[in-house]
Amino acid sequence: MNKSELFVELYNRYGAVKRARGCFLYTAKNMRVTDMYQEEGRAILGWEGGSAFTLMKNTISRGQTGSFICEDKPSLKLQKAVSELFASDRTVLCFSSQKAALAAGLSIYSEGTSVYRPWNIQNEKINISEIPALILSPPLPWAETVYLLALDTKKLNENPDALLLVRGAIKLPFAMEVAYTRAIYNLIKALQEREEKNWFIYDPVLTKYWERRGPYLFPKLPEDEYHKFVLHCLDCGILISPEYNNPSIVPFGTDKGVFTKLKNSPFEY
């Protein structure tokens, strides 16, 4: 199942989504659906966008939407935010797909390129700041076509011709760059606030079906049963990842009651 098919199933059951707040989707048929897909993790900080959306809206309202220069060296602010996130000086390039960002990273560091996933417990076993190339999807629901490649600036300075190998980088509109910069600072703040205690409380229900790593849920059930499981969860008012190899996410801060239907109507496999 892909994302489009999942949302058709959501619509067929509960109608159009009229509002999205936090990790909940509110539909036309007065149904509140618990979102554990979270737009492949881009909505992990919530669907509203918070201060990032406010800054973007303010920038647009000022008409700073053209190709003209809106600020002295605006990309340096984005690089500063990314450098703070990864605790190392980073040079940031933008791409329209994860595939393009990955290809660019591998063209420079064939064995030192990795996709970053916040709160991934695997990250605790390695020093993120020492990875030469990290790919980050900004934590904003509408950032589906933007991926950031954060390259270790110190290592780049040792090989100044390395960037000549990069292909496919894009320039962000100023309003989007402002929003993504703020979103990364919001992520840094959230990383300091959300802990294991915020996720393990749901284990009695969730670990029957998933292996949990931090907030990320990897299916235990066979892949050929997963499509049925996705639909079963949707019938229980829970939206999970439609793709077997793409983890679902524990909904931060929700009441354990959102899993009552799944607990009372278990999926057998």
Side-chain angles (χ1 to χ4, degrees), residues 95-115:
F95 296 84
S96 58
S97 71
Q98 186 181 88
K99 181 179 179 180
L102 186 60
L106 291 173
S107 70
I108 303 176
Y109 303 110
S110 59
E111 297 182 357
T113 300
S114 180
V115 176

Side-chain angles (χ1 to χ4, degrees), residues 213-225:
R213 303 174 196 167
Y216 299 100
L217 300 168
F218 296 85
K220 287 182 177 179
L221 62 163
E223 188 169 358
D224 59 2
E225 292 286 331

